Amino acid sequence: MSARGLFITMEGGEGVGKSTNLDFLERLFKDNGVEIVTTREPGGTRLGEDIRELLLRVRDEPVHAVTELLLLFAARAQHIAELIEPALADGKWVLSDRFTDATYAYQCGGRGVDRAVVEQLENLVQGTLRPDYTLLLDAPVDVGMTRARNRGELDRIEQETMAFFERVRQGYLQQTQTQGDRYRIIDAGQPLVDVQKGLTAFGNEVLARWTQSRAEL
Ligand code: TMP
């Protein structure tokens, strides 16, 4: 039986360069012989991608914070059951563009949802599943929002205020205080080559720890 794979997540506010950096990290792991599944939240399954579309489409009615929260966890439950758990059990690594840290940052930090409510849903939906490592790409809100705006039309969440995204950023930074040792923070405001130096160091650290833990078995 193969050892359980690693679950790695990438987080950050809008326009911090998650897609480019996720591709870079995926390549680094693949080049080192890791079988890796790359996915995203909300999404990752057909049902999850439908829920993503519902969540991000601009609407002419307000979306209640609890409605948004439950949709996110509904997509997450499907994602875990259909994709994440089977891949990890099969010894594959899973690299996800966002996971529950985003809920603490956006729904708790941004929308003001009580953390205890999210903790309950996290335990219900995830059981003991938590990421092994989380990379937080952190950049000043104006830097990220300028990039997001240059990408084209803004979705429902991207249309939030700068104050909302400032709370999201603080929410992420606060998250790194909760389960400190799984987080690595990279300054995403620096030039891409420096961000990617940080990613390489992170990837190599994860690979070295993995090799060491295999040797100890
Ligand atoms: P993105 O992954 O393309 O950046 O878009 C996903 C959007 O959904 C982004 O604005 C963050 C938001 N989101 C939440 O508000 N809560 C969550 O738990 C997740 C996973 C995403």
Side-chain angles (χ1 to χ4, degrees):
M1 214 182 72
S2 52
R4 189 178 161 84
L6 285 182
F7 181 29
I8 302 168
T9 58
M10 191 177 277
E11 298 281 358
E14 309 298 322
V16 292
K18 279 188 296 95
S19 310
T20 314
N21 292 316
L22 202 86
D23 290 349
F24 183 88
L25 207 53
E26 180 185 21
R27 175 74 11 242
L28 190 149
F29 289 137
K30 279 190 173 158
D31 288 348
N32 281 276
V34 174
E35 220 185 318
I36 190 150
V37 177
T38 308
T39 185
R40 70 172 179 181
E41 287 217 346
T45 64
R46 277 190 300 157
L47 178 57
E49 290 293 328
D50 285 352
I51 296 174
R52 179 188 178 90
E53 203 276 320
L54 277 178
L55 276 163
L56 299 185
R57 190 197 312 158
V58 178
R59 315 184 70 86
D60 59 7
E61 61 186 343
V63 177
H64 193 275
V66 176
T67 311
E68 183 177 89
L69 180 69
L70 293 176
L71 283 171
L72 285 159
F73 269 104
R76 187 162 295 143
Q78 187 72 18
H79 196 198
I80 292 169
E82 199 181 308
L83 188 145
I84 299 176
E85 270 300 343
L88 294 175
D90 203 23
K92 295 178 185 137
W93 291 20
V94 175
L95 178 59
S96 185
D97 181 345
R98 299 193 189 279
F99 194 63
T100 308
D101 287 309
T103 313
Y104 283 103
Y106 281 79
Q107 280 62 50
C108 300
R111 305 251 188 255
V113 172
D114 191 342
R115 285 182 64 86
V117 172
V118 175
E119 275 163 18
Q120 281 184 356
L121 288 168
E122 185 178 34
N123 291 332
L124 172 76
V125 168
Q126 296 170 219
T128 57
L129 178 71
R130 299 290 181 278
D132 294 293
Y133 296 96
T134 297
L135 194 66
L136 173 61
L137 297 173
D138 178 59
V141 170
D142 54 344
V143 172
M145 281 318 289
T146 304
R147 286 192 202 146
R149 286 199 187 101
N150 289 339
R151 277 196 308 237
E153 255 175 59
L154 300 180
D155 65 36
R156 188 180 63 84
I157 296 179
E158 287 169 338
Q159 290 185 359
E160 282 295 340
T161 60
M162 294 297 269
F164 174 89
F165 291 114
E166 195 51 59
R167 293 196 300 276
V168 168
R169 183 181 186 201
Q170 295 313 320
Y172 268 131
L173 291 171
Q174 189 192 335
Q175 259 316 87
T176 65
Q177 313 293 314
T178 60
Q179 302 158 48
D181 52 349
R182 81 170 152 93
Y183 295 97
R184 302 290 179 276
I185 306 177
I186 291 188
D187 173 2
Q190 14 168 32
L192 189 60
V193 356
D194 296 317
V195 173
Q196 294 189 336
K197 268 188 207 152
L199 288 175
T200 304
F202 167 76
N204 287 337
E205 179 199 346
V206 171
L207 286 161
R209 286 186 173 207
W210 171 258
T211 309
Q212 194 187 347
S213 68
R214 298 296 87 214
E216 282 165 6
L217 283 183

